[in-house]
Amino acid sequence: MNSEIPLGSVIQGSLTKGLEVRLHPDISVEDMRVGKFLVVQGTRSRFFCLLTDVALGAASDRIIANPPPIEDTFMRDVLAGSGTYGTVELAPMLMFTPTATASDRASLPIDAPKNTNLASFEAQTSTELELLPVKTIPAHFSQVYEASESDFRSVFGWEDDPYRRNFSIGRPLDMDVPVCIDLDRFVERSNGIFGKSGTGKSFLTRLLISGIIRKNAAVNLMFDMHSEYGWEAMKEGKQVSTVKGLRQLFPGQVEMYTLDPESTKRRGVRDAQELYLSYDQIEIEDLKLVARELGLSEAALDNAVILHNEYGKHWIVQLLNMTNEDIKVFCESKQGHPGSLMSLQRKLMRFDSLKYIRSACPHNYIERLIQDLDAGKNVIIEFGSQSNLLSYMLATNMITRRIHASYVKKADRFLQTKNPLDKPRQLVITIEEAHRFLDSAIVHQTIFGTIAREMRKYFVTLLVVDQRPSGIDNEVMSQVGTRITCLLNDEKDIDAIFTGVSGANGLRSVLAKLDSKQQALVLGHAVPMPVVVRTRAYDSQFYSEIGEPDWEEIPNDEVYAAAEIAKADLGF
């Protein structure tokens, strides 16, 4: 469509319910799609709107009661536009009121009409474009236009903006114009990627993390539950093919750790670092998170506290080495409960099946991981065969709690010294199955709930990836800054997405009409207004645009060698 040709006129509406627009006779209602970006030119302001609904109308009930026969195309053409017409519902999201400077006004002809500076004069104004929240609505019969490329650029910016870290996440449904998110605003608050299974959440996550790495907006810590982000991952479709992982795209900027070295090596990853955790690193708070998975009662956790008070960080090793007689003697002297302690002992023996748990470790692997983050490296922790829910929740919580504690100390030091060199690097932690950590019943016991509520206070934020946003605590969802949502069908999940979002009623219909593949609704802190995009393809073209130069031309052996040389040059 031509963006200079009006599509329709505003016939009624309100600030809270949106605008109703009657389409002009020559505009087909079939060209109007939910999620489309349209512009309304008012008397004094320009309104940027999202199309939320499409409907058919008739001038008389007699036409509906007695429609023309299917073969009478002449009568249908006669009625079209006058007797029958199409309407669309628009949700105004942003407005811009151009103002002329004094010198601009002086240059206007004396007989210029009062609204000259609204359209033709708009291009001549020297004031900078400032988009504001919508506080009013356009007048009756204001004209509606297709958004132009300049409209998209004025709202969403462009990727090569030298003053902002913009990243193109996709394109509008019916235009070939990049839609960018501001990565600096994106990483400063916790964010979410949502959608039912098979809608491409993993690809979207990989896409966004690639942008953060490429633009150096933050360092990333990714808990790769299903081994999809670090190295190769399977591409969905009829043909069996793979896509590149972040380690392959950025060999000099991404480090991989593995909780299952054998599985990682079988996948062809030869330079992943091993990561082990020890019993003395497991604290009571870690057990509370996995109490449901282990079947631990409140009494068992209370007795764990008694053991911890007696033996300190070695309490689990002491418990596992106790006989039934030792437990009875201990309970008599410390007022514990033998049955609860024996039950706790049996259930903690499940940790023996976790390949990354050791009685003692030769050194602190988490400290080494923190050093990589401090050096600006992006870290991916691969679980391999250890991707069961118990293993994932335990390791993720243990590692994150210690990293968060480290960042709290660094942030406190920075607040004391005010020295820019002491400022911690912004950290984004990516977790899958986020509702397991952020459920209302346990959110106040997990480090992830703490991080989500703190926002950027300690320079640590979350990127949560989940297919069940309704399982996430409402308070946490209200703190999620930017929400990138693929198709959802469940009403509870849709309601959860719009927790704390104004004008949600119109957006619900937009979300419900998304395609099941490669479409997403983006709204929140990192974009000026909600927008539906065809997500950017994660393919060879993307690799060449986003990755380190010429990596795809290098055989795997040479990639490995180049990465080792780069690490040596950096002193790693």
Side-chain angles (χ1 to χ4, degrees):
M1 283 186 183
N2 190 332
S3 60
E4 297 179 0
I5 299 175
L7 305 178
S9 304
V10 175
I11 55 174
Q12 62 179 359
S14 70
L15 184 60
T16 55
K17 296 181 180 179
L19 306 175
E20 184 178 346
V21 175
R22 178 167 172 169
L23 298 177
H24 292 323
D26 56 336
I27 302 300
S28 172
V29 71
E30 294 181 12
D31 292 331
M32 300 293 106
R33 298 185 179 181
V34 169
K36 194 178 183 69
F37 186 26
L38 298 176
V39 175
V40 180
Q41 182 61 58
T43 307
R44 286 193 292 269
S45 301
R46 192 171 175 85
F47 296 82
F48 300 94
C49 307
L50 193 68
L51 196 158
T52 58
D53 198 9
V54 184
L56 297 174
S60 170
D61 291 339
R62 293 175 62 186
I63 298 175
I64 301 174
N66 187 26
I70 190 170
E71 66 274 6
D72 193 350
T73 57
F74 175 75
M75 181 57 69
R76 289 163 62 188
D77 291 341
V78 169
L79 291 173
S82 56
T84 60
Y85 52 87
T87 63
V88 295
E89 297 285 341
L90 302 184
M93 296 296 177
L94 294 170
M95 61 183 289
F96 165 57
T97 305
T99 56
T101 62
S103 60
D104 293 329
R105 293 191 185 96
S107 65
L108 282 173
I110 295 176
D111 59 347
K114 292 182 179 180
N115 66 342
T116 300
N117 65 323
L118 300 176
S120 62
F121 184 64
E122 181 180 335
Q124 302 174 27
T125 57
S126 59
T127 53
E128 182 181 353
L129 179 67
E130 183 181 6
L131 300 172
L132 301 172
V134 176
K135 301 294 185 182
T136 185
I137 58 175
H140 276 97
F141 315 123
S142 295
Q143 296 300 292
V144 179
Y145 297 87
E146 181 98 6
S148 65
E149 182 174 344
S150 61
D151 289 323
F152 275 96
R153 285 186 176 274
S154 65
V155 174
F156 298 102
W158 58 94
E159 197 164 19
D160 297 328
D161 188 336
Y163 303 105
R164 292 183 179 179
R165 289 191 178 97
N166 285 342
F167 174 68
S168 171
I169 190 175
R171 297 178 183 273
L173 298 181
D174 51 2
M175 291 186 69
D176 193 24
V177 182
V179 173
C180 298
I181 63 173
D182 186 333
L183 289 179
D184 285 329
R185 289 175 64 83
F186 185 79
V187 301
E188 72 183 9
R189 295 183 64 177
S190 293
N191 307 289
I193 297 177
F194 306 106
K196 69 177 188 177
S197 180
T199 52
K201 296 188 299 298
S202 298
F203 281 84
L204 258 175
T205 305
R206 203 181 291 111
L207 191 81
L208 280 167
I209 297 299
S210 296
I212 293 172
I213 296 174
R214 181 71 177 85
K215 298 284 186 175
N216 198 28
V219 290
N220 300 274
L221 172 63
M222 302 187 72
F223 291 99
D224 193 358
M225 183 178 185
H226 301 297
S227 304
E228 295 179 306
Y229 303 114
W231 205 247
E232 288 182 328
M234 293 300 297
K235 184 177 182 180
E236 293 184 5
K238 295 180 180 179
Q239 295 181 346
V240 178
S241 60
T242 59
V243 294
K244 303 297 181 182
L246 297 173
R247 172 66 176 164
Q248 292 170 298
L249 276 177
F250 307 97
Q253 297 173 261
V254 175
E255 292 289 343
M256 285 184 64
Y257 285 76
T258 178
L259 299 175
D260 185 2
E262 294 179 2
S263 172
T264 302
K265 288 177 181 177
R266 284 196 299 270
R267 297 179 57 241
V269 187
R270 288 161 292 184
D271 58 344
Q273 302 182 51
E274 296 180 351
L275 176 60
Y276 294 103
L277 304 174
S278 60
Y279 280 124
D280 59 14
Q281 291 177 303
I282 300 176
E283 298 180 1
I284 304 298
E285 288 77 8
D286 300 314
L287 287 185
K288 288 180 179 178
L289 178 65
V290 294
R292 189 186 306 174
E293 305 302 318
L294 287 174
L296 297 178
S297 63
E298 288 293 330
L301 291 172
D302 291 340
N303 279 270
V305 173
I306 297 174
L307 277 168
H308 183 270
N309 292 339
E310 178 67 20
Y311 297 112
K313 64 180 183 179
H314 303 295
W315 70 275
I316 292 183
V317 174
Q318 290 288 340
L319 174 62
L320 294 179
N321 291 330
M322 281 183 177
T323 63
N324 289 348
E325 201 59 41
D326 294 333
I327 291 175
K328 291 178 181 178
V329 172
F330 175 84
C331 291
E332 288 175 0
S333 61
K334 303 298 178 182
Q335 296 182 341
H337 189 278
S340 294
L341 272 182
M342 290 177 188
S343 174
L344 178 63
Q345 183 187 56
R346 287 194 305 273
K347 289 168 181 176
L348 290 184
M349 286 179 180
R350 288 182 59 186
F351 289 162
D352 289 338
S353 64
L354 304 182
K355 295 182 179 180
Y356 58 85
I357 294 291
R358 297 284 187 272
S359 297
C361 291
H363 58 270
N364 193 325
Y365 289 89
I366 299 179
E367 285 298 324
R368 190 168 67 185
L369 187 153
I370 293 174
Q371 290 172 9
D372 279 340
L373 294 173
D374 290 341
K377 295 284 187 178
N378 299 276
V379 174
I380 298 174
I381 300 176
E382 190 171 276
F383 281 73
S385 65
Q386 301 298 291
S387 61
N388 63 79
L389 204 53
L390 170 63
S391 175
Y392 180 68
M393 293 178 69
L394 179 67
T396 302
N397 198 59
M398 288 177 64
I399 294 169
T400 303
R401 286 180 63 246
R402 283 149 185 82
I403 289 174
H404 181 261
S406 172
Y407 263 75
V408 169
K409 292 179 181 178
K410 293 171 188 172
D412 288 342
R413 176 175 173 78
F414 172 60
L415 290 174
Q416 291 173 0
T417 65
K418 307 295 190 297
N419 185 348
L421 296 177
D422 291 332
K423 183 179 179 180
R425 294 177 184 268
Q426 183 68 41
L427 173 63
V428 176
I429 300 177
T430 302
I431 55 170
E432 297 180 282
E433 297 287 342
H435 66 276
R436 300 285 183 176
F437 304 94
L438 301 172
D439 178 80
S440 300
I442 60 173
V443 67
H444 297 288
Q445 301 172 4
T446 71
I447 188 60
F448 300 102
T450 302
I451 294 173
R453 290 190 298 271
E454 286 173 351
M455 294 196 290
R456 61 166 302 175
K457 183 178 179 181
Y458 296 113
F459 304 94
V460 181
T461 57
L462 298 178
L463 177 58
V464 299
V465 184
D466 206 291
Q467 62 186 15
R468 280 192 55 209
S470 60
I472 298 175
D473 180 66
N474 285 339
E475 181 185 352
V476 172
M477 279 298 294
S478 67
Q479 300 296 332
V480 174
T482 305
R483 306 168 196 192
I484 303 174
T485 311
C486 303
L487 179 64
L488 287 169
N489 296 128
D490 190 277
E491 286 296 321
K492 291 182 180 179
D493 290 331
I494 294 175
D495 288 340
I497 291 297
F498 297 115
T499 300
V501 176
S502 60
N505 290 336
L507 295 174
R508 287 174 61 90
S509 62
V510 175
L511 182 58
K513 299 298 187 297
L514 292 177
D515 286 351
S516 59
K517 296 286 185 181
Q518 214 171 351
Q519 283 190 11
L521 172 65
V522 186
L523 64 121
H525 190 60
V527 288
M529 61 173 280
V531 62
V532 177
V533 297
R534 290 178 287 114
T535 55
R536 194 171 178 177
Y538 191 84
D539 53 16
S540 56
Q541 181 180 347
F542 177 78
Y543 304 156
S544 61
E545 292 172 351
I546 204 78
E548 294 184 357
D550 300 329
W551 73 267
E552 59 183 340
E553 305 296 332
I554 306 174
N556 285 339
D557 290 341
E558 294 182 32
V559 169
Y560 175 73
E564 291 302 306
I565 293 171
K567 287 171 64 179
D569 290 342
L570 291 170
F572 291 99

